[in-house]
Amino acid sequence: MDIIKNQVWYLKISKLALAFAIIHSKPPGKSCKEYTEHLAKTVSEQDFGWKSKVEVLEAEVLRLRQELLLNKICPRFCLENGKPDASAEILLDQECINPMSYSSQLEDSGCDVSNDYAFDSLGIASDFHQSEHNVNTSKRWLERVPPLNLCCTGKEESLTAPVQFLQHLLEIRKLSEGGILQADFTQLENDSFTICNSVSQLLDGLTVFYNSPKFPVSNVLTEAVCVLISLITDTKLSNHVLKKCFKKLEEFKKNLIQIILRNSSVNRFQALHAVSNTLVLLGRNNILRNSLISLLLSEVHQFAEQLLQAHQMQAMYDITQYENIFPLCMILEQLLQNETEESNISSSDYDGEEKIEFLKNLDRIILHLSDEFPLFSLYLWRVSVLLNSAQIQID
């Protein structure tokens, strides 16, 4: 207790001493208030300068850790100019003779990326399919990956560093499958800091863009989405990423859902379409898909209950949120449709608490809302049919 009193007394004395110092050092022609504000502004500018220097140094440390990690995984992969060594070139020449699209590897992992809808709003579809059918895909990819560089500024530029690092990682993974390059991906377990921070930077950069999107979308943002989806759908790398970054990915999904619900801009629909596409792509990963379905079921059910209550009380409801709930319904419907089309569905996927809560009293909600809100009621019914049909297929 005496320690706390002494600390309070010391704080008061320090404030008093600072006030006397400001009064005695005050230049003529300025009031104490003006001089105090000037000093506060000067100190804050100095703090901002130090923070900027710290950020640059932290970025440099992460860049060096990224290079070190890639060198440990595959020492023969050249990072100086972003191109593989001679042995890797031999493998790429073999691919020109018998090309195998990278998307086919993703499909082998159970993650279908052939849906043009999922790429359209970010301008990814044409680039993705063009590279899929071009025999020089891997060569062009390697040649356009510049050396790692984290010292960049701006919202879009902040995406460049994690995108380049993860591109290198994906390319090493691809080349190692051919047996020419030997890669030790167990090194990812020994350095979770680097992979976690790189993925976090990528997700944070995308979140910043989706919060205040600008169209047309830059190539950096398009590439960022491609890299993220390739990473979480790769059969080997996705295990490491989900193990280390699952909480961050869950936070990213929740942020995207809230961005859809809270967007009140008049010209928001193109932006909502872009966010919706990214959520659909995230759902291509089985683990992320199940948790995403749970999140969407919870949000749609909560809004349905609120809308029913407002309707029964003849109260006003948020028309913007009503319009924004439809993208969530469409995402949910598409993810559930993908689930029911798969032959290896497990019953545990559909026995979650969110499903039970969603289906409970759903008929009553649809009955009361169908006259006033027919489109929303139709979506609720379609989602319920998909949930029930999945259970029937299991049984």
Side-chain angles (χ1 to χ4, degrees):
M1 194 67 179
D2 292 336
I3 296 176
I4 297 177
K5 288 182 178 180
N6 290 336
Q7 290 177 344
V8 173
W9 178 83
Y10 180 78
L11 180 61
K12 290 181 179 180
I13 294 298
S14 299
K15 289 181 178 180
L16 185 61
L18 178 62
F20 277 116
I22 292 174
I23 292 172
H24 283 292
S25 61
K26 178 182 71 66
K30 274 192 176 183
S31 66
C32 291
K33 180 180 180 181
E34 291 174 343
Y35 186 52
T36 302
E37 291 175 349
H38 168 73
L39 292 176
K41 183 179 179 181
T42 302
V43 172
S44 63
E45 289 176 351
Q46 291 177 351
D47 288 344
F48 180 77
W50 281 110
K51 288 179 181 178
S52 300
K53 291 180 181 179
V54 170
E55 289 176 357
V56 171
L57 292 174
E58 288 177 343
E60 179 65 15
V61 169
L62 182 57
R63 182 186 69 82
L64 294 174
R65 293 190 66 147
Q66 287 175 337
E67 291 189 358
L68 179 61
L69 177 59
L70 290 176
N71 188 60
K72 287 180 179 179
I73 293 174
C74 184
R76 296 175 61 189
F77 189 82
C78 179
L79 297 178
E80 298 299 327
N81 54 10
K83 294 182 180 180
D85 59 14
S87 300
E89 289 287 355
I90 295 173
L91 175 60
L92 295 179
D93 290 336
Q94 293 174 352
E95 287 186 349
C96 292
I97 300 173
N98 184 22
M100 180 181 64
S101 68
Y102 191 59
S103 65
S104 64
Q105 299 175 26
L106 303 185
E107 290 171 353
D108 290 341
S109 67
C111 302
D112 180 18
V113 295
S114 61
N115 191 350
D116 290 353
Y117 164 82
F119 294 90
D120 285 345
S121 66
L122 286 178
I124 303 174
S126 58
D127 296 337
F128 188 86
H129 291 297
Q130 181 181 2
S131 62
E132 182 180 8
H133 296 292
N134 194 309
V135 294
N136 295 318
T137 299
S138 298
K139 280 189 174 181
R140 288 207 320 274
W141 190 11
L142 286 171
E143 289 170 357
R144 76 168 185 258
V145 178
L148 298 180
N149 178 21
L150 271 172
C151 298
C152 51
T153 58
K155 294 180 179 180
E156 291 184 2
E157 287 77 3
S158 64
L159 277 172
T160 304
V163 166
Q164 290 175 1
F165 166 68
L166 296 172
Q167 276 180 329
H168 283 305
L169 194 62
L170 287 164
E171 192 60 29
I172 291 174
R173 158 76 169 131
K174 184 179 180 182
L175 294 174
S176 65
E177 285 188 336
I180 301 299
L181 290 180
Q182 293 183 352
D184 180 16
F185 287 100
T186 59
Q187 294 295 331
L188 294 174
E189 296 289 340
N190 301 328
D191 191 359
S192 59
F193 172 85
T194 302
I195 189 69
C196 284
N197 276 266
S198 300
V199 174
S200 294
Q201 280 190 352
L202 179 63
L203 298 178
D204 290 341
L206 288 173
T207 302
V208 170
F209 164 72
Y210 287 132
N211 269 313
S212 54
K214 294 181 180 180
F215 296 94
V217 178
S218 68
N219 292 333
V220 175
L221 290 162
T222 301
E223 195 69 26
V225 177
C226 286
V227 168
L228 175 61
I229 303 309
S230 298
L231 195 64
I232 65 171
T233 53
D234 185 90
T235 52
K236 179 175 288 187
L237 295 179
S238 62
N239 294 330
H240 295 283
V241 173
L242 291 176
K243 186 176 181 180
K244 304 296 183 181
C245 312
F246 184 76
K247 289 184 178 179
K248 186 66 179 181
L249 286 164
E250 287 293 291
E251 178 187 342
F252 179 63
K253 290 187 297 183
K254 292 177 181 178
N255 288 337
L256 294 189
I257 291 174
Q258 292 306 313
I259 287 173
I260 292 176
L261 290 175
R262 296 175 182 175
N263 195 327
S264 58
S265 173
V266 176
N267 300 318
R268 65 185 181 276
F269 295 103
Q270 186 179 9
L272 296 184
H273 186 60
V275 180
S276 300
N277 292 338
T278 302
L279 284 170
V280 170
L281 287 171
L282 289 173
R284 304 298 184 184
N285 179 283
N286 292 332
I287 297 176
L288 295 179
R289 177 173 56 194
N290 292 333
S291 61
L292 180 55
I293 289 175
S294 297
L295 290 172
L296 292 170
L297 285 173
S298 177
E299 289 291 345
V300 173
H301 176 261
Q302 181 180 352
F303 178 79
E305 292 283 0
Q306 293 174 353
L307 188 61
L308 175 62
Q309 184 178 4
H311 176 65
Q312 290 176 336
M313 298 176 61
Q314 296 184 346
M316 296 293 293
Y317 65 93
D318 190 341
I319 184 63
T320 300
Q321 192 173 15
Y322 176 75
E323 293 174 345
N324 292 345
I325 201 67
F326 286 100
L328 297 190
C329 292
M330 288 185 282
I331 297 168
L332 183 57
E333 185 178 5
Q334 187 167 351
L335 294 177
L336 290 172
Q337 185 66 41
N338 293 340
E339 286 277 13
T340 56
E341 290 175 355
E342 293 182 0
S343 58
N344 58 343
I345 304 176
S346 62
S347 59
S348 60
D349 291 345
Y350 294 94
D351 289 339
E353 181 180 348
E354 290 79 9
K355 174 196 169 181
I356 298 172
E357 191 68 24
F358 182 84
L359 293 177
K360 185 175 66 176
N361 299 326
L362 184 62
D363 292 338
R364 179 179 62 86
I365 295 176
I366 294 176
L367 179 63
H368 285 85
L369 296 180
S370 57
D371 290 336
E372 190 72 22
F373 307 99
L375 184 59
F376 180 59
S377 300
L378 177 62
Y379 268 105
L380 291 178
W381 175 78
R382 288 165 62 170
V383 169
S384 67
V385 168
L386 286 171
L387 286 171
N388 290 322
S389 65
Q391 186 62 50
I392 292 173
Q393 185 174 347
I394 295 167
D395 297 338

